[in-house]
Amino acid sequence: MNIDKVTLHDLSIFHSEEDQSIFHKLNQTRTSLGRDWLHRFFKEPFDNVSAIEQQQQILQHLTTFLDDWPQQISNGTIMVMVRFFDAQLEPIPPAHSFLGGLRYKLMASPDFATVRYSMGHFADFVRGFLRLIELLRATQLPKPLQQLLDRAAGLLNETTIQALGAHLSGTSFTLQEVVGFGHFIFYRYKQQVHELLQLFGKLDAWYGMAKAAVVFNLQYPKVIDISTPVLEVRQLYHLLLPQPVAYDIDLNKQHNFLFLTGANMAGKSTFIRSIGAAIYLAHLGMGVPAASMTCSLFEGILSNINVTDNIARGESFFFNEVQRIRNTILKINDGNKWLVFIDELFKGTNIKDAMKCSLAVIEGLVKMRQSIFVLSTHLYEIGEELRNHQNIQFSYFETEIEDDQLVFNYHLRPGISNDRIGYLILKREKVLELLDKL
């Protein structure tokens, strides 16, 4: 799936503020390696249904074993193993003997202590990984998971490593075991350790994705590879909201353009981001925040939400809006299925100009039946001029006024909004009162 940095930011997939990041919200990994792999998964959404389905099968399989996941491998253990190979140690003697161990302890006491401490964590890692392989191999596995476990089992099937894993947890290593295991791992098993760490990191990322589905009650969507765009969602909500409102959505080739109106703060932008985040998660093979979802495989997602000006380059807000729309049109004009979001089109010019420009853009976009468009606007008037297009679906967010106070119930209704609440907000915030006193 194609998605650019602007869209990733618009959809809050990644964000420097953790409470505004979907990645952070869903990160249930146990180690930094797992987090790195999860980040990699999030940066590489799939572009075929087979890969998505395999990922879903892996996560659903792991869900069964979440409560039995071995506890021996902590993030601390991973850090000790990684740092062991970077340590500036006196050469560890190759002799697996009491005298070799005693000599090393006497001649290089701090290094001996480092090796002994590290071997305890290496032993924990080996025991934990062997237990994990045994646990997950109990039933038939999806192919990528089977291949990973087979590779890990092969790397661990070495006499010295098996002996290290058999060392009883909590018991001290003898002098000869410290130098014997330490020498073997430091000089002969480094490459295998790095590969095992990456294999475990990938497993931990899968664990985190499966755990997130359970923690947040996410449902695995059905992604279908068909020639026309489809998006059917029941009870979709936004992950980052503490008390979200859920929505049903039905968009397809016959109704592929959603024209969304409503007052500012009524919920339009959040609704748009909810759709984008769900489609993105679906293409990762993850569960989505909805009761159910069926969608077509999309070529990519493009958003026109947080467009800004560029003072350094002397580019205005309106110019950058135009450039973003231009680039969007060029990109989606390839016959593939795209999901396109446009929030408050042409905010950077006067109303009359914005209406003319918006109408021209929409009249062009409605011709593209291969993609799904969700467009929000405060220019309600242009909606009436678009009613002759059968593929446009009109919806609006309802705003109620009670005792001169705005009430946002976040209900999505069919039709076009006719709310005019700007003056009411000025009055409510006592701006008019302040002006009267000037």
Side-chain angles (χ1 to χ4, degrees), residues 76-92:
T77 289
I78 299 295
M79 292 296 99
V80 169
M81 293 172 65
V82 171
R83 291 169 183 166
F84 177 66
F85 295 105
D86 295 328
Q88 302 299 312
L89 301 173
E90 289 294 323
I92 306 172

Side-chain angles (χ1 to χ4, degrees), residues 108-126:
S109 180
D111 292 345
F112 177 89
T114 297
V115 175
R116 180 174 56 187
Y117 177 73
S118 299
M119 289 308 101
H121 285 283
F122 273 97
D124 286 341
F125 180 82
V126 172

